[in-house]
Amino acid sequence: MQEHQISKADFEACMKCNICTEVCPMYEVNPLYQGPKKSGPDAERYRLKDPAFFDSNLKFCLNCKRCETACPSGVKVADIIQMAKLKYSSSTHPLRDTALSSTDLVGSVASVFAPAVNFALEQEVASKAMGLLGVDSHSVFPKYASEKFVTWFRRNARKSQDSFGSQVNYFHGCYVNYNNPQQGKDLVKILNACNVGVKLMKGEKCCGVAMMANGFRDRAAANAASNVEMFSKVDGPILCTSSTCAFTMRQEYPEVLGVDNSKVKDSIMLATKWLFEEVESGRIRLAFRQDFRMKVVYHIPCHLQRLGWQMYSIALMRMIPGLTLAVPEQECCGIAGTFGFKKEYAGYSRKIGSKLFENLRSANPQVVATDCETCRFQIEMGTPFTVMHPLAILAEALDIEITKELNETDN
Amino acid sequence: MKYDICIIGGGMSGTKAGVALLSRKKRASVCILSAGRTLNPTSREEFKRLGGDIFDNCRAVSSVMGENRVQAVVTDNDIRVEASAFVLSTGKFFSRGLLSDMDGVYEPVFGADVEFEADRSAWSSEDFFDPQPFESFGVRTEGSRVLKDGNVIENLYACGEILCGVVDVDKSVREVCRNIR
Amino acid sequence: MKEYDVIIIGGGVTGAGVARDCAMRGLSTLLLERGDIADGASGRNHGLLHSGARYAVNDPEGARECIVENRILRHIASGCVEQTEGLFITLPEDSLEYQAQFVGKCRAAGIDAKAIDPKEALRMEPSVNPSLIGAVVVPDASVDPFRLVSANILDARLHGAEILTRHSVEGFIKEGVTIMGVKARDLSTGELKQFRAHYTINAAGIWGAGIAAMAGVRIGMLPAKGSLLVFGHRVNNMVINRCRKPSNADILVPGDVVCVIGTTSDKVPFEECDNMKVTPEEVKLLLEEGSKLAPGLASTRILRAYAGVRPLVADDSDPSGRSVSRGIVLLDHAKRDGIYGLVSITGGKLTTYRLMAEMTTDLICEKMSKNVRCTTALEPLPGSKGVRPSGQGLGSLAAFHRHGEDESKMDKDSEVLCECENVTRAEIAYAVRELGVKDMNDLRRRTRIGMGTCQGGFCMKKVAAALSEELGDGSKAEEFEMQYARERWKGMRPVMWGETLREAEYMRKMHAKK
C-alpha cells in the first residue's frame, strides 16, 4: 500500500523545485508562457477541478521535454501539458495544422511532383500562399526527394538483404522516406558492410508525433496502434535513425496516447545504440578510412537527450580516428518539429535557437552532427554549416571493403 | 558501455568525486550517471574538461552482481554500464538515492544495507526546526565500501548524503578517492 | 460600558451562523473567538454537505434536517458549495439488502436517492472501485468549511456585528444567577477585558463544556476524535460513500483541488482536544478503507493528516451519561439550570449550522420579545453572488472560486505568490483588508495559501514577507515563516514517507538553515 505514489504522469512527485522552469527555452523568451511547472503539474490540479482553468497559452509549449530531462522527480511535465492540450484545446489553423501534421500524406503527394514542389517552395508566390495558410514565410521548407526511400530500397536493396548473416528491421519514418532517403541508404550501407541485412516493415505508418503536436490525438493513436501491431509481428530489433520517432514510439505511445507498447518497447531502439552495442560486444567490427578528417560539433537533440541515448552517437563518432569532436552543453534549437514552421511561433523559435547558433558559430566546425531531422532544418536555416546525421558521418568515414572482410562469417 | 569507474549520481558529491578521481588518475575512464539535471555547473564543467563522460537523464535502477562485486548497473532507459569500480553518490530522499514507503527505507539500485528507525513516528521530530532523524538515515559502509546483507561489496564505494550518520561530503569524497585503487 | 444584545462565544461555523442571524435580525452582536475563525472542528472535517442519506437509516430526523439545509445552502452558499452529487456504493462484502433498506429510508426522509446500474456509476465517477455491485445516487455535495465560516463572519460584520478573534473567554460577569457578560483576555496584548450583554451564547463546540463550567453549569460532553487524510489532487469528482452501517473511513469527498478520506472515531480525553495527533494505525486504516472506495488513492500522494473533535453531547435523560443525544442540542440554561442570560448551542452538523443558528436566534428573540423573522435561508452569503471573474488569468479565476464576486475587490494582474494554489499578492492584501487575517494560519484558512502540493515549501518565505508588509509590520516576516513551517510540519508528519518525506527533506533544506 502506498509503495508507489504514481498517479498519471507522476505528477504527484513534483516537489515544486522549479528546475523545469529554469531550463524551459520558451519560458525564457516568451512572457505569455507560464513555464512547465505552472502549466503542467500545478495547473493540472486545477484543471481536474474545472476545465476553465485550461490556459490557451499552453500552445507555446514546444514539447522539447527539457523539463522532463531536468526533473529530479521523474514527473512527465511535458506529457501532462500535451495531454491537457489534446483534451481541452482546438486548433486555430485547422487547414495548415492538418497539412503540417500529415508528414506522410503530404510527403507522398509531394515526392511524386518533387521538382515542381521544391521549385514552388522556393518561389515568392508559394511563400506568400504559405503565409496565408499560417506557415512562416521565413522558413525554408524541407525539400522533397524525387525517389522515395522505399522505392529506392525496393529497386536496389531488398533482394540482397536475406543473404547477410543476420537481419534487423528498419523504421525509416517520413523524413527518410520523403525528404532525405540518403539517410536510409547510409544505414543500409553501414549495416550491409557489417554483414547485417535490413528489412522494412510492411505497413509502416508515420510515428504520429506531428499529429500529436497539432492536436490530432485520434489519428496519432490510430497510427500508434497500427505500428505497435506491426512491430509485434516482426523478429529482431527495430531500428530508427530519427531520435524523435524512436522517442515517440517508446515513450509517448503509452504515456500520452494510451497505446500499450510494453511487448515491443524494448525492441524499438536507435540505430546508433544498437550499432554501438554490437561493436562493443565484438559482434561487429568497424574499419575506417585512413584519409578521413573532419571537425565536428555534435548537437544533442532535445528528444534524444530525453531518451538519454546521446552517448551512443558520441561514442560511435569517437571511434572514427580522423574525427575531432566537440560536444557543447545541450541547447534547444527551437524548432520543435512543426512548431517553428508556424507563422505565430516562428519568431520565438528563432529566438530560442539563437543561443545554439551562436555556440555553433563560435565553434566553427566543418560539420554539425545531429540525429534529429527538424533540428537539422533549424540549424541549416540559422547557420551556414553543413548538418549531418552521425550515421551519415560514419558511412562516409567507413572503409567499406575492410569492414566487409572483418565481418564475413567463417562458415 | 565500459568504464574504469562509474559514478552513480550527478549531484554535488558525484561530480566532486568525478573531478577528484580524474585529477588523481589521469588515464582512467570515468563516467557519471545523472538523473535529472546536475546543479553544480562548475564541477560538471571541470569533470568534462578532464575527460569524463556525463550520462544526462540516465537514472540507475538496478545492478548486476557477481561474487560480492558489482558487474554492471542498468539505467531506466536500458543503458548497461560496466566498470571495475562504482561510486554510489545518489543522495538521500529528495534525489531518490533512498526510497521510503510506509514501512521502511530502501536503497533502490543495490539493495544496500540502510540505517533507519523501524518506528515510522520516530523518523521526524515534532518541531520543524529540531534536527530530524531521517536526515541521518543512509547506507552503511565499511572503509567507504557499501554493505549489503552485512557483507562488503568489494568494488562499490559511497560518498555524500547517501551515507548514514552525520555526513561531511568533502571528507567522504576524499576517502572514496583514497580507497579506490 | 457598551452593552450588547448578544455575545457569542466561538468562531466556528455555529458561532458564525448565529452571529450572522443575530446581526441580520438587528441585534447588537459581539463574537469572541479565542483563536481564529474555523480553528476547531469547523475547519477539521470532511467538507461534506450531507444530503442526509448517511443518517437516513439510523437518524431519520437528522436526515430530514440535512436535506432541507442542503437545499438551502446550495442556494445561499453557492460560492462555498460544489454541486458534486454523491454515490453510495455497495462492495461485494456489503449487502444489497442494506442498499434496498437505505433507498427506502432516504425516500421516507425526503431525500432523492436513486439506485443505478454499477456500470453507470463507473461512468459517472470513473475513480470508483470497479468491483462495486450496487450504487445509489444522492444529492450530497462538497462544501468548503473555511469559506462557509468566513462568509458568515463577513456577512455578520456587514450587518453590524463585531468580531474579535484571539480573545479567550476566562470567566463570566455574573450577578446572582444571571450572566451579564464575559471576561475575555485579548491574547495579542494580554489585556483582560469585560464585555456586557443581555444574553451570552455558548457556541464553543467541544470547548463549550469548559465555558459552561465557568458559569457553574455542567454539560456532559464526550470528545470524539475523527482523523482524515488529504490527497494531492482530486481523485474523484463525486462524493463517494460506502453503503453500509456508518463506519470508519467510508466517505471520500472532493474538496476544491484535493480530496479527503475520513474519518476514524475514537473517544479522547479533553486534554488532547487542543493538540490532536493522527496515529500510524489511523493512517493505515484510512488508506486501507479509502482504497476500497477509490483504488486510485493507493497510488496518490498524501499531503497531510489532520483530526477534529466531534462535540458529542451526553443525553440529559440518561443519568449514566453514556448515551449520546442525536442532532441539535439547544440548552436554555435558565430553564435547565436556573442560570439566566446563557444559552448553549451544540451537537448538530456542519450541514445544519444555519438551522442551529436560526433555532438559537429564535430563542434569543423570544426572550427579548423581539418579533423578527429569520431571513438567513433566503439571503445569499457574500461570495455567492458572482457570475464570472472580473480579472484575467488563473489567479483571478482561482480567487473567484474562493471569494465569488468579491474577487472584483482585488487588484488586477497581481503576481501569483502561492503557485500550487494560485494565490496572488492582491488576494493576500484583500484577505488582510477585509477578512480579518492576522497571521499565516489565518491567511491559509481564507485563501488556501500553502495548502497545495508543496505545503508552502516553495512560497512561504515570499508569502510571509508579503503578509507582514500588508499588516504594516515588516518585522514579522521571519516569525510568520517559522510559524507556518511548524504548522505545516505537524500535518505532514503522520504521512511522512514517499513523496511527502522527499518534500519534508526539501522543505528543511529551504527553510531550516541554522
Side-chain angles (χ1 to χ4, degrees), chain A residues 25-308:
Chain A
M26 182 53 78
Y27 182 75
E28 207 179 330
V29 301
N30 182 356
L32 292 172
Y33 185 57
Q34 300 273 301
K37 177 184 87 88
K38 284 202 202 170
S39 307
D42 285 1
E44 183 67 8
R45 294 174 74 232
Y46 273 80
R47 290 189 289 260
L48 286 171
K49 179 192 180 192
D50 183 350
F53 281 95
F54 176 74
D55 171 6
S56 63
N57 287 326
L58 259 57
K59 67 185 176 210
F60 289 116
C61 169
L62 295 166
N63 199 25
C64 67
K65 307 281 183 192
R66 282 167 64 87
C67 45
E68 296 183 3
T69 301
C71 180
S73 308
V75 180
K76 295 177 186 93
V77 188
D79 285 357
I80 296 172
I81 298 172
Q82 297 332 297
M83 286 187 276
K85 285 204 288 194
L86 290 170
K87 195 166 165 190
Y88 302 111
S89 75
S90 52
S91 168
T92 45
H93 283 94
L95 182 58
R96 187 251 345 243
D97 292 352
T98 307
L100 283 178
S101 71
S102 308
T103 45
D104 49 355
L105 186 71
V106 172
S108 62
V109 177
S111 51
V112 176
F113 305 103
V117 172
N118 289 337
F119 176 76
L121 283 170
E122 284 162 11
Q123 301 312 303
E124 206 178 328
V125 183
S127 136
K128 281 196 179 133
M130 289 186 82
L132 286 176
L133 208 60
V135 174
D136 175 54
S137 57
H138 300 94
S139 297
V140 180
F141 217 67
K143 290 187 176 173
Y144 289 95
S146 50
E147 185 187 45
K148 288 191 289 186
F149 172 70
V150 291
T151 315
W152 172 85
F153 185 84
R154 198 177 58 237
R155 287 179 188 152
N156 303 289
R158 192 176 64 190
K159 275 194 199 118
S160 59
Q161 298 305 312
D162 283 333
S163 65
F164 296 102
S166 63
Q167 275 75 32
V168 294
N169 306 288
Y170 178 38
F171 185 93
H172 50 72
C174 302
Y175 169 71
V176 162
N177 201 22
Y178 303 113
N179 302 102
N180 187 6
Q182 188 56 43
Q183 189 163 305
K185 294 177 198 171
D186 287 340
L187 181 75
V188 174
K189 175 179 155 186
I190 296 168
L191 294 184
N192 286 176
C194 302
N195 197 13
V196 175
V198 174
K199 292 193 153 182
L200 303 191
M201 290 165 287
K202 216 173 157 194
E204 174 182 318
K205 294 254 168 66
C206 165
C207 72
V209 69
M211 295 172 191
M212 274 190 267
N214 287 287
F216 302 101
R217 190 193 175 281
D218 294 346
R219 283 171 51 203
N223 276 22
S226 158
N227 281 336
V228 169
E229 168 73 18
M230 171 183 81
F231 295 153
S232 69
K233 288 182 187 146
V234 299
D235 295 324
I238 298 150
L239 306 189
C240 301
T241 42
S242 159
S243 46
T244 292
C245 293
F247 171 75
T248 304
M249 298 191 295
R250 279 178 64 97
Q251 325 262 98
E252 307 272 83
Y253 278 7
E255 278 154 16
V256 177
L257 296 174
V259 173
D260 178 11
N261 69 353
S262 53
K263 290 214 179 74
V264 298
K265 185 182 171 188
D266 287 346
S267 314
I268 306 169
M269 65 173 95
L270 276 181
T272 46
K273 180 178 197 280
W274 184 84
L275 184 58
F276 176 84
E277 284 173 348
E278 292 297 297
V279 174
E280 190 180 48
S281 66
R283 287 189 291 272
I284 282 180
R285 296 162 75 189
L286 301 178
F288 294 97
R289 282 163 42 203
Q290 296 300 311
D291 60 342
F292 182 83
R293 296 285 177 278
M294 195 182 267
K295 186 184 168 197
V296 176
V297 170
Y298 179 49
H299 163 68
I300 304 171
C302 294
H303 284 174
L304 179 56
Q305 173 103 335
R306 178 69 185 94
L307 273 170

Side-chain angles (χ1 to χ4, degrees), chain A residues 355-410:
Chain A
K355 209 192 282 176
L356 170 67
F357 303 156
E358 200 57 43
N359 289 351
L360 293 176
R361 276 194 214 101
S362 65
N364 196 28
Q366 282 169 290
V367 166
V368 175
T370 194
D371 315 66
C372 168
E373 51 274 14
T374 59
C375 293
R376 176 192 189 136
F377 301 151
Q378 179 83 335
I379 296 168
E380 282 174 345
M381 283 190 276
T383 72
F385 303 115
T386 306
V387 184
M388 290 174 82
H389 192 285
L391 288 174
I393 296 174
L394 198 80
E396 204 176 305
L398 210 60
D399 188 317
I400 298 292
E401 290 314 312
I402 301 181
T403 303
K404 272 185 182 160
E405 284 168 27
L406 289 172
N407 293 288
E408 263 169 17
T409 34
D410 298 333

Side-chain angles (χ1 to χ4, degrees), chain C residues 342-359:
Chain C
L342 183 66
V343 165
S344 290
I345 176 73
T346 188
K349 306 164 182 76
L350 178 67
T351 305
T352 58
Y353 88 93
R354 195 212 58 83
L355 176 63
M356 294 161 75
E358 180 176 343
M359 288 162 62

Side-chain angles (χ1 to χ4, degrees), chain C residues 303-470:
Chain C
L303 295 184
R304 56 194 291 111
Y306 62 95
V309 198
R310 295 180 195 84
L312 298 182
V313 186
D315 199 330
D316 276 353
S317 61
D318 176 8
S320 78
R322 262 190 232 114
S323 54
V324 170
S325 42
R326 296 191 184 285
I328 301 166
V329 179
L330 175 61
L331 302 174
D332 180 350
H333 296 294
K335 274 192 195 155
R336 180 176 177 263
D337 310 289
I339 298 287
Y340 292 82
L342 183 66
V343 165
S344 290
I345 176 73
T346 188
K349 306 164 182 76
L350 178 67
T351 305
T352 58
Y353 88 93
R354 195 212 58 83
L355 176 63
M356 294 161 75
E358 180 176 343
M359 288 162 62
T360 311
T361 314
D362 281 350
L363 177 65
I364 299 291
C365 285
E366 187 194 312
K367 285 174 179 289
M368 293 178 70
S369 312
K370 257 185 109 107
N371 188 15
V372 197
R373 280 190 42 221
C374 174
T375 55
T376 54
L378 305 171
E379 290 289 322
L381 285 159
S384 294
K385 301 161 193 168
V387 184
R388 67 178 67 83
S390 65
Q392 300 286 315
L394 300 190
S396 292
L397 185 55
F400 178 77
H401 275 237
R402 291 189 276 266
H403 307 282
E405 70 282 2
D406 288 338
E407 173 267 340
S408 65
K409 295 179 182 163
M410 299 170 200
D411 288 345
K412 301 291 172 279
D413 301 319
S414 175
E415 186 197 353
V416 171
L417 292 187
C418 169
E419 297 189 351
C420 295
E421 299 292 359
N422 290 302
V423 183
T424 62
R425 172 81 192 229
E427 189 174 341
I428 296 173
Y430 164 79
V432 169
R433 209 166 58 228
E434 316 252 352
L435 303 178
V437 165
K438 296 195 176 71
D439 68 15
M440 289 286 271
N441 290 327
D442 297 6
L443 185 65
R444 166 176 56 83
R445 285 183 280 263
R446 308 298 189 285
T447 64
R448 287 193 71 77
I449 222 144
M451 287 172 107
T453 319
C454 77
Q455 294 289 293
F458 178 69
C459 69
M460 70 171 99
K461 201 179 263 313
K462 279 191 292 181
V463 171
L467 176 62
S468 66
E469 249 174 61
E470 293 297 338

